[in-house]
Amino acid sequence: MKKFRYLENTVTLCYNENMCIGCGNCVIVCPHRVFSIENGKAAVMDHDGCMECGACSLNCPSEALFVRPGVGCAQAILHGWISKVPFLGRIFSPDSCCS
Amino acid sequence: MRDKAANLGVRLGINRDHYRIPPGLYALGDPDGNSPVLATCNYKLTFDIVRREMKIHSCWILVVETYGINVWCAAGKKSFSTEETARRVKESGLSKVVNHRTIIIPQLAAPSVAGHKLKGLCGFKGVFGPVRVRDLPEFIDNGMKATPEMREVDFPLSKRLDVAMVEVMGARKFMAWSVLICFVLAALGPGGFALHGIVWSGLGAFGVVASGFITGTFIVPLILHLFPARAFAAKGLMAGSAAGLILAITFARNLPEGLSAMAGTAAMTSWFAMHYTGSTPFTSLSGVDREMKIYMPVQGLLIAAAVLTWMGWAWLGIIRG
Ligand code: SF4
Ligand code: SF4
């Protein structure tokens, strides 16, 4: 999405060109047009456009892609932190915006 | 109208359990053995949208169990999974209903559905459909080919405000606690230890929290792309300072009170804008994690400064008589 951009140089997306078989799955599943196929291999066109949804790495048949998948949701992250604190974790019920 | 009211009820999270569709195979229109099969979640709103958009196309709909959660969030929670989809294909006896061996999976389910593994699990090949349901008819008519635009998520104004309504429900508990805290603090000095004063001071303090909520949840999303900063908390600081300034000029009786209102509104707006990250389709886990670590201390300091200024000024007045 060109209109909405998020932070630069933060995402965990890694691509290993040597492993790629050029199937094009990543181009199909990525909701941010991060990839394209150039000369029979995937190419990362917009690294910062990645939102770490994990669709590409799950759908890559040859493990050429890695990303730490997750949801970019402050409330979910906060609950993750709180639930690690022994006492607080019991008071706050784990509910997130997606539930 | 009833249906509209009910739909709003679903968005706000009221009686969500009543908005589940039993998983299984459904016929839409008059499908036969050659009709396409669409997989979707069992959230009633999504099912209704598919039904509406596909009205001229007969098709089969395979509803998988996502516990009443939409496709995107179910993918995030991994309930719309490869295994669950394969299980529903087998359970529904789909192979006896249709002659072909292809099911259309919503593209937004791709974070938890490995399309290339479906065939091995249930005999059906998974093909990813477009992001938006309204593009489905065109996708099918084009021989299951999506244009690049159909593959990209968007975030138009209507959707930005729609998801803000979800934030309203999410903030209920927070707001209830903040009312209590505002009045307790007001009773400890700023209210001048008189009922009338406590009520007004408490309301004033809650006004700051509420202004932060409205600015962070509605104003920031409204003009989301216009800020010169990418971090949501930073957008909130900017919008919140402006809103706080207006609040201070309009209501504050003196400079410390005005500064306190401004700092408080900036902090609260930043907090709520940061929480809006969960409602957007373009923020990453790493990014939100990073901005929280940078801006939560800033928000904490601003709130501390706001409370100390507010209480301190009140006590100074009391001591001086
Ligand atoms: S993780 Fe998601 S957004 Fe990022 S590149 Fe892969 S498919 Fe695209
Ligand atoms: S999905 Fe994997 S193998 Fe296929 S084109 Fe993308 S990176 Fe290459």
Side-chain angles (χ1 to χ4, degrees), chain B residues 227-300:
Chain B
F227 292 94
R230 299 251 171 110
F232 281 57
K235 295 177 204 271
L237 281 181
M238 294 174 193
S241 305
L245 188 63
I246 296 170
L247 205 66
I249 291 172
T250 321
F251 293 108
R253 290 165 300 186
N254 47 55
L255 186 65
E257 210 176 85
L259 287 176
S260 164
M262 228 180 118
T265 312
M268 293 319 297
T269 307
S270 178
W271 169 262
F272 285 112
M274 193 177 81
H275 274 69
Y276 191 76
T277 51
S279 291
T280 69
F282 65 97
T283 52
S284 60
L285 171 62
S286 304
V288 178
D289 189 273
R290 186 209 261 181
E291 76 163 270
M292 285 174 80
K293 282 176 183 148
I294 297 173
Y295 287 99
M296 275 174 64
V298 178
Q299 293 160 358

Side-chain angles (χ1 to χ4, degrees), chain B residues 1 20 63 70 87 99 102 129 131 153 159-160 164 216 221 258 273 277:
Chain B
M1 193 57 221
R20 292 187 189 183
V63 174
N70 69 44
R87 197 162 70 92
N99 309 322
T102 304
V131 166
V153 293
K159 210 185 279 163
R160 299 209 292 280
T277 51

Side-chain angles (χ1 to χ4, degrees), chain B residues 113-162:
Chain B
V113 177
H116 60 286
K117 289 195 181 137
L118 264 180
K119 189 149 196 177
L121 288 175
C122 66
F124 276 75
K125 191 178 118 195
V127 169
F128 286 104
V131 166
R132 283 164 294 273
V133 180
R134 73 169 129 86
D135 292 328
L136 261 173
E138 195 187 330
F139 172 81
I140 293 169
D141 290 343
N142 283 349
M144 304 214 187
K145 291 257 172 321
T147 61
E149 290 74 35
M150 289 184 194
R151 295 255 171 251
E152 192 174 19
V153 293
D154 57 1
F155 202 33
L157 184 63
S158 56
K159 210 185 279 163
R160 299 209 292 280
L161 295 181
D162 206 22

Side-chain angles (χ1 to χ4, degrees), chain A residues 15 19-27 37 42 56 59-62 64-65:
Chain A
Y15 167 55
M19 306 278 279
C20 176
I21 55 166
C23 71
N25 282 0
C26 52
V27 181
I37 296 286
C56 55
N59 279 281
C60 175
S62 64
L65 291 165

